[in-house]
Amino acid sequence: MTPKNIIEVRDLTVEFKKPKGSLLAVNHVDFDLREGSVTALVGESGSGKTTLAFTMLNIVNTTGKILSGSVNYNGTDVLKLKGEQLRRYRWKEISMIFQSAQSSLNPLMTIQQHFWETYLVHEPEADEKKVIPRFFRLLEDVMLDPDRVLKLYPHELSGGMKQRVMIAFSMLLSPRVIILDEPTTALDVITQDYIFSILDKIHNETGISMLLLTHDIGVVAKVADRIAVMYAGRIVEVGDIFTVFRHTAHPYAKALITTAPSLLDTDKDKEPIKGSPPDLIDLPPGCAFHPRCPYATEVCREKCPALTMIGEDHYVACHNSLPGKGAAAYE
Amino acid sequence: MNYFLRKLGTSLLNLIAVVVTIFIVLHMMPGDIIEPMAREEASRLGITYEEAYERVADRYNYNPQEPIYQQLVRYVKGLLRGDLGTSMLNPKNTVVSILSVALPWTIFVVSISLIISFILGMQLGALMAIRKRGIINNSITFYVTIVSAIPSYIIAIILSIIFVYQLRLFPKSGVYSIDVTPGFNMPFILSVLHYSVLPITTYVITSTGGWILNMKGSSVHVLGSDYVFAAQARGIPEKIIMRRYMKKNAMIPMITILAMAFGGMIGGAPLIEGQFQYLGMGAYLAKALGERDFILYQGLLLCISISVILANLVADLLYSKLDPRIRLE
């Protein structure tokens, strides 16, 4: 009885050519997004989260090239969609709130013009008068005053308001998936909390699937029900949120989770992750994490570990994650 | 305070600064232009040199022997009466009457040239930004490189050799044919257009390149912005993105440059107007400079400065109309 996957990424590799050489932002990744779940994709900047998310909209930047793999949405390979089909797929099926949500709106258009434009290109038969109540409802859902906000230009909104407008905007066509790329990065903690309570409410009311890209473990613990940890273009651990938090198996994931600040214990015994993120152009051989890993052994330097199931709905890519060894935590 | 009034105030301050600066700079030039004329007048009318000097100075409303502040007061008093003085070499013509003849022709040629080169530049620049490679892009780059390397008067000379002397398609000089009567009639309008073709073509050839490159740069910048990427993610068709997102945003800075270019071009291009003997501001500017007609020169400069100030004012007001981010200030 496995839950249905709404997105299945298989063996996906995305390459970026740089003057110094080529790098794989996403490196043979398999990833499932469960229907109706809130999945958190966690990793450092540059670990490939955003690139992986972009492939789900088939909107990889022109310098990036998809070398292999597929992204299946509801039985269709999104990467094979072209032209009009692709255009209609975007936002209607999957919408995304970008990391740069603050600058995602055309400075010369009002919020209403944005909403109406996007609605019209997907529903060419629509009548503006009939859909305006829908705009109102969406903005009310994110606690904004539609009467006022619809008439405003992007620069007339505060950061938190813009973010809420983007959330309402992402729900415009009732997509089945929303990707949220660091949705609260530029906001203060109170606004962050507010945004997440709105997202939580939307999720509970609509059952929409969400993919949350973040590096904030605290946020993950609060809103997600599944977590995937990415390191240097690969998924290193994925599973149900409780399982992963309780039985963290990958040394990197473990470090991420234990270094998260908490009100309950002191910072004294927190060990920072030693070393720095790897140079993606010149990855270390074997497991990309081995130079920073306290449990690294000979095999880690030679062979890249594959994602292996170690418990129910719990997958890890680590040579030393089997019970009783190294970082593994299944007692 | 009201945005418009504030801008107007700034423009007035600019104007005062310009009047004083032009006046002082020109009066710092060495040499007394009144002196030879006074000598000539003294011997012609048989009066004393001092008396003659006084008369000449009065005629031109300009006396270099007075202290400079007194001269400035005299000049400003003239200005307030709408008197810009009299051409020194052609005392029958006041500067105002020369301006009223020259300015309309220059405005006519400059506006048409600017409109044509602006529209061409916007379209081609946007096209270049969209198609990063390809024949169109390469040929435009080639054209711009060549044209920006050739001075405009060379192009004027080439055009007149081909179209005036070889093909005899266009007249050699003037602003309209002597056979037509000025007024709102067809022969006159056609003649005016006919005479303006070559100056306009020269302006367009030389200035379009700049517009193309400016627009291309601005468009490439906009194309790289987050809101264009976000629009693609929303499934907005490319055509709409190009028009409503790229072009509109990229053109905002262009509009400012347009208004300022208009102001700047009121000075005419003395060398272009000179080549076609098209009697606009540029031609008179060249003449005044060549013949050291100091009063006329001062008047022309003032008129050009006023155009630049006015154009800047228009640009400011236009900008606030086009860009909602400026509107509220």
Side-chain angles (χ1 to χ4, degrees), chain A residues 54 57 59 61 87 90-91 94 98 100 103-109 114 117-118 121-122 153 155-156 169, chain B residues 226-227 229-238 240 244-245 248-249 252 322-328:
Chain A
F54 281 172
L57 278 164
I59 194 168
N61 195 298
R87 190 183 75 63
R90 289 174 178 167
W91 219 256
I94 300 187
F98 294 99
S100 52
S103 49
S104 291
L105 296 165
N106 184 346
L108 304 183
M109 283 162 65
H114 275 98
E117 175 190 73
T118 301
V121 300
H122 286 279
Y153 286 93
H155 72 278
E156 295 169 306
F169 203 177
Chain B
D226 296 325
Y227 54 82
F229 191 72
Q232 285 166 339
R234 289 201 300 275
I236 310 282
E238 285 301 302
I240 296 186
R244 217 176 278 167
Y245 286 70
K248 263 191 148 183
N249 277 288
I252 288 177
L322 289 171
D323 192 336
R325 283 165 294 188
I326 312 287
R327 217 169 279 167
L328 285 176

Side-chain angles (χ1 to χ4, degrees), chain A residues 115 132-150 164-165 167-169 171 194 198 201-202 205:
Chain A
F115 277 40
I132 282 184
R134 178 171 175 76
F135 301 168
F136 268 68
R137 206 159 352 98
L138 288 168
L139 288 170
E140 275 160 6
D141 282 348
V142 294
M143 325 283 172
L144 288 170
D145 170 15
D147 248 334
R148 198 169 79 84
V149 169
L150 280 174
R164 281 182 280 160
V165 165
I167 292 171
F169 203 177
M171 298 295 298
Y194 190 46
I198 289 171
K201 201 183 97 199
I202 289 174
E205 282 169 9

Side-chain angles (χ1 to χ4, degrees), chain A residues 20 38 62 104 181 194-195 248 280-281 328:
Chain A
K20 278 195 292 173
V38 178
T62 42
S104 291
D181 191 356
Y194 190 46
I195 298 277
T248 321
L280 287 173
I281 291 177

Side-chain angles (χ1 to χ4, degrees), chain B residues 75-149:
Chain B
Y75 175 61
V76 172
K77 269 186 190 162
L79 278 187
L80 292 177
R81 274 184 273 120
D83 176 10
L84 290 174
T86 309
S87 167
M88 298 187 125
L89 294 162
N90 198 349
K92 270 175 259 153
N93 287 338
T94 61
V95 172
V96 173
S97 71
I98 291 175
L99 282 177
S100 65
V101 172
L103 195 55
W105 295 118
T106 294
I107 289 181
F108 167 65
V109 166
V110 162
S111 336
I112 295 190
S113 315
L114 263 183
I115 291 169
I116 296 174
S117 54
F118 182 78
I119 294 174
L120 273 177
M122 294 307 102
Q123 298 298 333
L124 294 177
L127 195 69
M128 273 179 93
I130 301 166
R131 308 219 178 114
K132 295 213 174 56
R133 281 171 203 87
I135 287 189
I136 302 177
N137 224 316
N138 288 339
S139 30
I140 298 175
T141 311
F142 181 74
Y143 165 81
V144 173
T145 317
I146 298 285
V147 166
S148 51

